[in-house]
Amino acid sequence: MFDYGAGNLHSLAKALATAPGAEVRVQEDPLRALDTDVLVLPGVGAFGAAMARLEPGREAMRAALEDGLPCLGICLGMQLLFEGSDEGAGVGLGYFQGQVTRLMARRVPEMGWNQVEDDRTLSSARLDTVYYAHSYVCRAADASWVTGWTTHEGDRFPAAVRKGNVVGVQFHPEKSSSAGVRFVQAFLQEVSR
């Protein structure tokens, strides 16, 4: 798991550790974070600050993802997988084309439980209601990458995206009770095959 200085590491590490055979290691160096079977980009924080920490390894991380390194990006971690964000400076990983924009709603941030519509992210862990805590959302350039949608006050945006073994989720599975833990376990099981 890559630690960019603001992620929700404790809860996420506990959720990851529930998967059979999982060994969770936290790494602050973006290049050393690539020495793993599965890269996890945690949620919580600001895009600009996170990208500043990731920048020394940005090209290597993008190349590793393109070469097939499985990755789970959560909330801000999902946003880092995109090209850039209106929230702050810095170039994202660009694994998914598209921009991160402010949530178009009266109540921002969205904090609380909301549904995932038409979820097809993982074959063995369908999601329904999960926990969100965010002010920015990903606007994917290609809707075929979107594997689940959600709506907050009329703004419909991706709840989940997937391309190969790289999955990004706008919600927090580590805060989404047993359904979120099942999702993390299913992701790890699926990408370890």
Side-chain angles (χ1 to χ4, degrees), residues 104-125:
M104 294 182 287
R106 185 179 43 81
R107 287 179 295 128
V108 175
E110 177 186 17
M111 301 281 292
W113 297 87
N114 199 348
Q115 293 188 330
V116 177
E117 306 157 15
D118 307 319
D119 177 46
R120 57 182 174 80
T121 309
L122 300 173
S123 59
S124 62

Side-chain angles (χ1 to χ4, degrees), residues 2 9 24 29 72 104 106 118 125 134 176 178:
F2 177 56
L9 302 182
V24 180
D29 180 323
L72 177 60
M104 294 182 287
R106 185 179 43 81
D118 307 319
H134 65 110
S176 297
S178 57

Side-chain angles (χ1 to χ4, degrees), residues 148-160:
W149 294 91
T150 194
T151 304
H152 176 64
E153 292 186 7
D155 189 0
R156 190 168 191 251
F157 54 90

Side-chain angles (χ1 to χ4, degrees), residues 26 60 62 68 85 102 111 114-115 119 125 141 167:
V26 178
R62 164 78 188 258
S85 175
R102 186 167 174 77
M111 301 281 292
N114 199 348
Q115 293 188 330
D119 177 46
V167 171

